[in-house]
């Protein structure tokens, strides 16, 4: 897996550097504007872009054909494609955790749960996108990617509304914050696992 990850880093090197710059700029903006929800959404968006570039390169260069002609596991390949979402998700979650603790004076348990939710969502959307690209190819799969991008931007603008955020906070306060958060995390992880399994099955059925 390390070789696949290193290959993706080399392939996306230029985009990776720009993405890191964008993360720094947008995180500073989010902190300055006290718009903390933007932090994980930026991570998701940039992860989607890098995943698209990596998979697109593999399809154009027929890297998959070469790789799977060798005794390489489909599961390793699919999991390696979630490296960027995982790394960016961890970075944004750590930043979010620190800000919730320092600026919002939120208890450690709540800050940790919210940060883990942000991490899971950062991996979830790129994971859901993968089966569609493997099934329909890079070009036809772009429709799914545009829909995913739209969902990210819509969600970010949706949660910018203070009234909506207050309603969600009220729901959390009425019920067990811990149970709801753990439920969201569990469902998210389950969806990621299902998406990975679907991607593996799609690749298994392909002829190389």
């Amino acid at each position: 897996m390390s070789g696949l990850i290193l290959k993706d880093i080399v392939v996306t090197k230029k985009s990776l550097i720009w993405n890191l710059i964008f993360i720094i700029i947008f995180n500073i903006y989010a902190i300055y504007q006290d718009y903390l929800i933007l932090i994980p959404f930026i991570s998701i968006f940039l992860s989607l872009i890098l995943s698209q570039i990596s998979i697109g390169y593999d399809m154009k260069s027929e890297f998959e054909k070469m790789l799977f002609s060798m005794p390489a596991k489909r599961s390793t390949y699919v999991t390696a494609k979630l490296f960027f979402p995982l790394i960016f998700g961890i970075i944004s979650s750590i930043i979010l955790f620190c800000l919730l603790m320092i600026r919002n004076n939120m208890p450690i348990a709540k800050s940790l749960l919210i940060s883990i939710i942000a991490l899971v969502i950062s991996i979830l959307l790129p994971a859901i996108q993968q089966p569609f690209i493997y099934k329909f190819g890079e070009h036809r799969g772009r429709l799914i990617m545009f829909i995913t991008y739209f969902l990210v931007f819509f969600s970010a603008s949706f949660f910018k509304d203070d009234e909506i955020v207050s309603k969600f906070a009220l729901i959390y306060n009425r019920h067990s914050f811990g149970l709801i958060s753990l439920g969201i995390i569990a469902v998210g992880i389950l969806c990621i696992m299902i998406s990975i399994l679907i991607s593996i099955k799609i690749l298994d059925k392909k002829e190389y």
Side-chain angles (χ1 to χ4, degrees):
M1 183 182 293
S2 59
L4 292 172
I5 292 172
L6 182 60
K7 187 270 299 178
D8 285 344
I9 291 174
V10 172
V11 167
T12 60
K13 184 170 64 175
K14 290 183 179 180
S15 298
L16 182 60
I17 293 172
W18 280 108
N19 281 1
L20 290 173
I21 293 172
F22 283 134
I23 283 180
I24 294 171
I25 293 172
F26 280 110
N27 280 347
I28 292 173
Y29 171 80
I31 294 169
Y32 180 76
Q33 294 292 330
D34 199 23
Y35 187 19
L36 301 186
I37 195 68
L38 182 64
I39 294 173
F41 281 108
I42 289 299
S43 172
I44 294 168
F45 179 69
L46 296 179
S47 296
L48 288 169
I49 293 175
L50 287 174
S51 296
Q52 176 191 350
I53 293 172
S54 174
I55 296 174
Y57 172 84
D58 290 351
M59 289 182 173
K60 288 179 180 178
S61 64
E62 296 187 342
F63 175 79
E64 293 175 355
K65 185 177 182 179
M66 180 192 70
L67 178 67
F68 297 136
S69 64
M70 300 183 288
K73 292 183 178 179
R74 268 68 167 174
S75 57
T76 303
Y77 177 77
V78 172
T79 307
K81 293 303 177 186
L82 296 176
F83 171 74
F84 289 128
L86 175 64
I87 295 301
F88 284 156
I90 290 173
I91 293 172
S92 65
S93 297
I94 291 173
I95 294 172
L96 185 61
F97 175 77
C98 294
L99 291 173
L100 289 173
M101 286 279 295
I102 297 170
R103 295 192 63 171
N104 292 39
N105 295 318
M106 189 175 288
I108 295 177
K110 283 190 175 182
S111 300
L112 183 61
L113 285 172
I114 291 174
S115 300
I116 294 174
I117 290 173
L119 172 60
V120 171
I121 294 175
S122 296
I123 302 171
L124 176 61
L125 289 180
I128 290 175
Q129 179 181 256
Q130 280 192 15
F132 293 98
I133 300 176
Y134 294 139
K135 179 67 176 179
F136 301 109
E138 181 193 5
H139 297 293
R140 285 189 294 175
R142 281 179 182 173
L143 176 60
I144 304 300
M145 288 184 274
F146 284 130
I147 293 173
T148 311
Y149 295 155
F150 173 77
L151 287 174
V152 172
F153 280 112
F154 175 77
S155 300
S157 60
F158 180 79
F159 283 102
K160 191 175 182 180
D161 192 325
D162 292 335
E163 185 177 347
I164 293 173
V165 174
S166 298
K167 288 181 180 179
F168 273 96
L170 184 61
I171 293 173
Y172 262 95
N173 290 331
R174 285 180 178 175
H175 305 280
S176 172
F177 181 90
L179 286 176
I180 294 175
S181 299
L182 290 173
I184 294 173
I185 293 168
V187 171
I189 292 174
L190 180 62
C191 290
I192 292 170
M193 293 174 65
I194 291 172
S195 180
I196 290 174
L197 290 174
I198 293 173
S199 296
I200 293 170
K201 286 187 176 181
I202 292 172
L203 291 176
D204 281 335
K205 291 180 179 179
K206 281 188 173 184
E207 295 182 2
Y208 294 99

